[in-house]
Amino acid sequence: MRARAGKEEQRIAKLLARAGIASRREIERMIAEGRIAVNGTAIDTPATLLTSLHGVTVDGKPVQAAAPARLFRFHKPAGFLTTERDPRGRPTIYDKLPPGLPRLVPVGRLDMNTEGLLLLTTDGGLKRQLELPATGVPRTYRARAYGEISQAQLEELILGIEIDGIRYGQIDANMERRTGRNVWIEMTLTEGKNREVRRVLEHLGLQVSRLIRTAYGPFPLADLPAGAVDEVRQHDLIMFRKSLEQGRPRPPKAERPA
């Protein structure tokens, strides 16, 4: 199918995922089962290129055009996995989310024992924008740790650090307060590699006992209660996406949780 002037062709799996039909993996399975058609003809590959969802049906029902992207803040409590389901039956964030929400996918992940701000979106494209290191969206954490550390050691993290062959980019780290050998540290980073904060602090000889994400980009956790969810205003989301397109992600406005 040829693209109309001014419209870019995209894979049907991507378009359907953005329209909230299912995840890309689920859509690939639906295509293999012959459940998705274009102008009455079942397609056989998720790589089919289209400019819109006009004429596309799923199980014989027309697909509506993708709604505007929506973004939600969720205060993830500790003890929940950031996944849709777990083969071992452990609780997931979807067990905690209230009913009545649209189909949401998490932006990045938080470890099971990490708490705080988790962004959820209806749009796969927005999810990737927020996650890619190239966009430079800052994530801010507060960590409670046990052990000896100095502010000078923390400031060296601004140059990045290599641990077990893995290179971690610059981290803006500051000691907030110390009580005996317990210390609270605030850290802002833009890569978000797997377990990055814990690994860096453990490499410095600290034992992390609590980790809270307090902000993601300009969106703070603020006083959102644990387990609660609310929606980011469309105006704020539009302005943020414009800043990403201009290569100027806005800094975090983190506030300490209660």
Side-chain angles (χ1 to χ4, degrees):
M1 183 174 294
R2 302 179 67 86
R4 297 177 184 175
K7 289 198 173 185
E8 179 186 355
E9 288 184 326
Q10 299 183 62
R11 293 189 175 209
I12 189 172
K14 177 179 180 179
L15 291 172
L16 288 172
R18 290 194 62 188
I21 300 301
S23 68
R24 291 197 191 189
R25 185 172 298 178
E26 291 167 342
I27 290 167
E28 290 172 3
R29 185 162 50 246
M30 295 165 72
I31 290 173
E33 294 170 353
R35 297 168 56 191
I36 299 176
V38 178
N39 297 325
T41 303
I43 62 171
D44 57 7
T45 173
T48 301
L49 297 176
L50 299 173
T51 57
S52 73
L53 291 173
H54 180 72
V56 176
T57 57
V58 176
D59 295 330
K61 298 178 181 178
V63 176
Q64 301 298 320
R70 298 171 68 184
L71 186 68
F72 294 77
R73 296 186 310 151
F74 172 54
H75 187 159
K76 175 192 172 297
F80 291 83
L81 291 172
T82 307
T83 186
E84 189 168 353
R85 60 183 66 89
D86 178 54
R88 294 164 55 184
R90 292 172 295 178
T92 77
I93 59 170
Y94 292 93
D95 298 322
K96 191 68 176 175
L97 290 173
L101 293 172
R103 178 184 172 274
L104 297 171
V105 292
V107 175
R109 291 177 179 271
L110 290 178
D111 297 337
M112 187 170 189
N113 293 321
T114 300
E115 56 194 287
L117 179 64
L118 181 66
L119 295 180
L120 304 165
T121 181
T122 58
D123 187 277
L126 175 59
K127 168 183 166 71
R128 285 186 294 280
Q129 268 188 312
L130 286 161
E131 291 176 344
L132 284 173
T135 58
V137 180
R139 295 91 151 149
T140 301
Y141 296 80
R142 293 184 70 234
R144 184 180 66 194
Y146 177 81
E148 294 295 334
I149 191 75
S150 68
Q151 178 61 35
Q153 286 175 285
L154 293 175
E155 288 176 359
E156 291 178 0
L157 295 175
I158 201 69
L159 302 175
I161 188 171
E162 185 170 318
I163 303 172
D164 297 330
I166 300 175
R167 182 70 186 176
Y168 298 94
Q170 68 178 32
I171 299 173
D172 184 7
N174 292 283
M175 189 184 304
E176 291 188 334
R177 69 177 185 269
R178 178 189 293 279
T179 306
R181 296 196 69 194
N182 286 297
V183 61
W184 277 99
I185 300 171
E186 183 181 72
M187 304 175 70
T188 299
L189 47 102
T190 58
E191 288 186 330
K193 288 187 172 73
N194 184 35
R195 296 177 59 83
E196 180 169 351
V197 173
R198 292 183 185 274
R199 286 177 175 169
V200 169
L201 293 181
E202 288 168 2
H203 179 75
L204 295 176
L206 299 174
Q207 299 175 15
V208 178
S209 58
R210 189 178 181 192
L211 184 58
I212 309 164
R213 182 154 66 196
T214 57
Y216 200 121
F219 310 112
L221 177 65
D223 56 357
L224 187 69
V229 61
D230 68 6
E231 184 168 3
V232 173
R233 295 187 309 167
Q234 272 295 311
H235 171 76
D236 294 338
L237 178 54
I238 291 170
M239 295 302 293
F240 173 63
R241 298 193 80 172
K242 285 182 178 179
S243 75
L244 287 183
E245 292 168 1
Q246 295 167 357
R248 299 194 306 270
R250 291 156 61 188
K253 297 183 291 185
E255 299 180 19
R256 293 184 183 180

